[in-house]
Amino acid sequence: MTQVVTPNLKNFLANVPLFKGAPERALEVAASVVQPRNYESETVIFQEGDKGEALYILTAGMVKLSKVDLGGYEKTLTILQPPEFFGEMALLGNTTRSATAISLGNIQTYLLFADDFNKLIQTYPTVSLNLTTTLAQRLRGMDDEAQILSYKDAQVRVAFVLLRLYRSGVIELDKNGFATVKLTHQDLANLAGTSRETVTRALKV
């Protein structure tokens, strides 16, 4: 059932990377079809290999995207905050989920289902271009990360992860310049491709 469009929802969607600069009508259509969905902390939103039926627009909280390697170890790919979106890859070509999404704390999202997503990118070139731009930026970020994480020096890898998290807003500085990290040492280890103990030592340096 189509929901009532509120100005607040339209204003929020206008700041989502997928809808940046999109026509007013595109925002109205998107706001009329997205469905709210909340998840409790540590909920598996979807798993790698699942069939994808919708993409998720994050409105509150943080989400971790991760994969498990052949050795059974988890590798965190990224940490997302509002107003990021995720889960779009499985909708392109009707494929399965390429990663697992887990909520870090309680989160709030809007779901944009595949049929509506496809209509939006087919009808509004700006939305399609935004999707392409976002995917290109994420791919470029993965290339940079692969180069840094190939270093043997674990402290360099941890430092790179902390810098990336700071730039994305996951790490915040208070008025005295002290950092607040919203992740556990294990989360940082999974991002840096190292052990929790190594992260703890690196943070003490």
Side-chain angles (χ1 to χ4, degrees):
M1 182 174 64
T2 301
Q3 65 185 54
V4 176
V5 177
T6 65
N8 287 342
L9 178 53
K10 280 177 56 180
N11 291 340
F12 172 79
L13 291 176
N15 291 308
V16 174
L18 185 63
F19 298 111
K20 282 276 189 176
E24 187 76 9
R25 181 55 183 161
L27 296 174
E28 291 175 353
V29 171
S32 70
V33 296
V34 293
Q35 299 295 321
R37 189 76 56 84
N38 299 336
Y39 298 90
E40 295 183 351
S41 181
E42 300 301 319
T43 298
V44 176
I45 302 168
F46 55 74
Q47 285 188 311
E48 183 178 359
D50 287 349
K51 181 180 179 182
E53 298 179 345
L55 69 78
Y56 297 75
I57 301 170
L58 192 57
T59 63
M62 296 192 300
V63 167
K64 174 177 69 175
L65 298 183
S66 64
K67 294 176 72 72
V68 175
D69 64 22
L70 295 178
Y73 295 100
E74 180 187 30
K75 172 65 175 73
T76 299
L77 303 176
T78 190
I79 305 292
L80 298 176
Q81 291 196 117
E84 292 289 347
F85 65 95
F86 61 98
E88 74 288 341
M89 293 294 291
L91 306 188
L92 300 173
N94 194 29
T95 58
T96 56
R97 298 294 187 190
S98 59
T100 296
I102 301 175
S103 58
L104 299 178
N106 296 334
I107 69 167
Q108 298 174 6
T109 68
Y110 278 104
L111 272 65
L112 178 62
F113 288 93
D115 287 347
D116 297 314
F117 168 73
N118 287 326
K119 289 176 183 176
L120 281 165
I121 61 175
Q122 291 169 8
T123 305
Y124 301 100
T126 301
V127 178
S128 180
L129 179 59
N130 286 344
L131 175 64
T132 302
T133 300
T134 300
L135 293 177
Q137 290 172 342
R138 291 176 179 176
L139 181 60
R140 188 179 303 115
M142 290 174 60
D143 288 341
D144 292 342
E145 180 183 8
Q147 182 177 2
I148 295 294
L149 296 186
S150 67
Y151 293 171
K152 293 182 179 180
D153 190 331
Q155 290 187 2
V156 172
R157 301 203 303 270
V158 173
F160 169 76
V161 166
L162 292 174
L163 177 61
R164 191 181 72 175
L165 292 175
Y166 171 71
R167 287 174 172 171
S168 65
V170 176
I171 292 179
E172 299 176 349
L173 299 180
D174 64 19
K175 61 182 180 180
N176 297 316
F178 292 102
T180 300
V181 184
K182 305 173 185 178
L183 303 173
T184 66
H185 284 197
Q186 187 61 59
D187 289 328
L188 294 175
N190 292 343
L191 279 164
T194 187
S195 67
R196 181 178 58 81
E197 292 77 13
T198 299
V199 168
T200 300
R201 288 196 298 271
L203 292 177
K204 290 180 178 179
V205 173

